[in-house]
Amino acid sequence: MQLGDFELHLIVAGGWRPDGGTFFGVVPKVLWQRRKPADEHNLIRAACVGVVVRHRGRVIVCETGIGTKLDERRARQLGAWEPEGLLGSLRRLGVRPEEVDVVVTTHLHWDHAGGLTRRAPDGRLELTFPRARHVVQRAEWDFALHPDPRSRAAYLEEDLLPVAEAGLLEVVEGEVEVLPGLVVRPTGGHTPGHQLVLFRPSPDLSCAVTGDLVGLRPHLRLAWNSSADLDVLRVIEEKARLLEEAADHRWLLVLGHEVDGPAGYVDAQGGWTPEPALNDEVEEELTGREDAR
Ligand SMILES: [Zn+2]
């Protein structure tokens, strides 16, 4: 889809099967399961949704998913699917990893930063995108390396340290225009340095990659939030601001973990209209994958 001079491609960088309750916090299951039916083990399907963007000769990757480093046991525990989703999507777009100029994730949890690194055939860790600037909020980087006890399992040093060691880490603070029209805006809430990634050719023409601020379509409701959010009130505040702006200016939203039409437009009543130009392509990929499993 063309958004001003940004060429946007929606990608699904794999996914997993989380316990449904982890995504809905205090919302009772009788309510959430009407919108996200759980299987007999209480698991739902979550995708790692991102975008690949071409803009004035540059390639930008936003969100990298779980990646390919999980061992078999862990992958089975998580119900991980399509670990090659990120690189497969890039291949279909004709983009080689070394051509990527900028990588940005909403935050550094394992399900967003896992694809930043991978194992070389000899077992060494290497950067997936060896030439790219990797843009991270200062608060997120510091917290990821020194997490609180509750967050420890959500950050993996093998996803992060190679980026710094390669000298490709670009730490930013606050709202920053990384490239003309590419803006990161801190929200905090889910994690201390969680940020929105905005592709903004003009104030009235924007796409926001929401990460875990709005992970699934049911999270468009202000009070429906993930159990993993560290600061729930902050999430509600930032989500209210985003949804108002998105409805007023008809921003395209890309929801961080939705499997069913993750890109679309929200209206002032909280209604959701999927964007067919983006979703149809991904739908085909997802259905093809499901059959192949
Ligand atoms: Zn997430």
Side-chain angles (χ1 to χ4, degrees), residues 107-108 116 134-147 155-157 159-165 169-172 191-194:
H107 59 301
L108 296 175
L116 295 178
H134 292 64
V135 180
V136 177
Q137 286 289 329
R138 160 77 58 203
E140 187 66 11
W141 182 260
D142 290 348
F143 187 72
L145 296 187
H146 306 283
Y155 293 106
L156 303 177
E157 286 190 347
D159 296 341
L160 309 175
L161 295 183
V163 179
E165 282 157 14
L169 178 68
E170 186 169 324
V171 173
V172 298
T191 62
H194 187 283

Side-chain angles (χ1 to χ4, degrees), residues 10-287:
L10 192 64
I11 58 162
V12 175
W16 81 110
R17 289 184 167 273
D19 182 284
T22 60
F23 264 82
F24 293 110
V26 298
V27 179
K29 185 180 176 190
V30 288
L31 297 181
W32 64 251
Q33 73 173 356
R34 285 186 215 148
R35 303 187 150 220
K36 288 287 165 196
D39 69 10
E40 71 274 23
H41 302 296
N42 209 43
L43 305 178
I44 62 170
R45 285 190 83 223
C48 299
V49 184
V51 293
V52 173
V53 176
R54 283 202 177 95
H55 181 237
R56 299 184 192 166
R58 289 202 179 92
V59 180
I60 303 154
V61 168
C62 173
E63 300 287 46
T64 68
I66 298 169
T68 52
K69 299 190 299 303
L70 296 183
D71 62 43
E72 215 174 290
R73 188 165 154 268
R74 184 78 183 125
R76 206 168 341 106
Q77 274 174 356
L78 289 166
W81 46 272
E82 203 59 41
E84 294 280 352
L86 173 64
L87 293 171
S89 300
L90 286 170
R91 216 172 301 126
R92 275 186 292 278
L93 294 172
V95 175
R96 286 178 295 122
E98 51 276 19
E99 289 175 297
V100 173
D101 300 285
V102 177
V103 176
V104 56
T105 64
T106 53
H107 59 301
L108 296 175
H109 276 170
W110 62 278
D111 55 316
H112 297 257
L116 295 178
T117 62
R118 60 181 174 177
R119 294 259 171 222
D122 66 4
R124 272 179 315 114
L125 278 175
E126 63 179 16
L127 291 192
T128 308
F129 305 106
R131 272 192 46 250
R133 300 157 61 190
H134 292 64
V135 180
V136 177
Q137 286 289 329
R138 160 77 58 203
E140 187 66 11
W141 182 260
D142 290 348
F143 187 72
L145 296 187
H146 306 283
D148 64 24
R150 182 184 168 195
S151 305
R152 204 158 286 151
Y155 293 106
L156 303 177
E157 286 190 347
E158 61 178 20
D159 296 341
L160 309 175
L161 295 183
V163 179
E165 282 157 14
L168 290 170
L169 178 68
E170 186 169 324
V171 173
V172 298
E173 281 180 70
E175 181 161 331
V176 171
E177 189 162 34
V178 178
L179 291 173
L182 165 56
V183 175
V184 292
R185 179 199 282 180
T187 64
H190 182 64
T191 62
H194 187 283
Q195 60 187 359
L196 288 173
V197 181
L198 305 171
F199 297 94
R200 193 158 65 178
S202 74
D204 278 331
L205 197 59
S206 291
C207 166
V209 178
T210 61
D212 278 273
L213 184 62
V214 188
L216 302 172
R217 275 157 71 165
H219 294 135
L220 291 165
R221 296 175 171 209
L222 284 186
W224 287 39
N225 295 298
S226 162
S227 312
D229 293 340
L230 293 178
D231 184 344
V232 182
L233 294 179
R234 179 80 187 269
V235 166
I236 291 173
E237 208 173 282
E238 289 289 341
K239 188 157 69 171
R241 178 183 171 203
L242 169 67
L243 295 181
E244 191 182 325
E245 237 172 327
D248 282 357
H249 300 284
R250 202 167 185 272
W251 284 6
L252 176 69
L253 298 183
V254 173
L255 310 185
H257 293 302
E258 181 57 65
V259 282
D260 179 17
Y265 306 92
V266 69
D267 59 41
Q269 289 73 45
W272 179 252
T273 310
E275 166 55 60
L278 285 166
N279 289 309
D280 287 355
E281 206 177 315
V282 157
E283 182 75 45
E284 252 167 56
E285 273 181 35
L286 280 173
T287 345

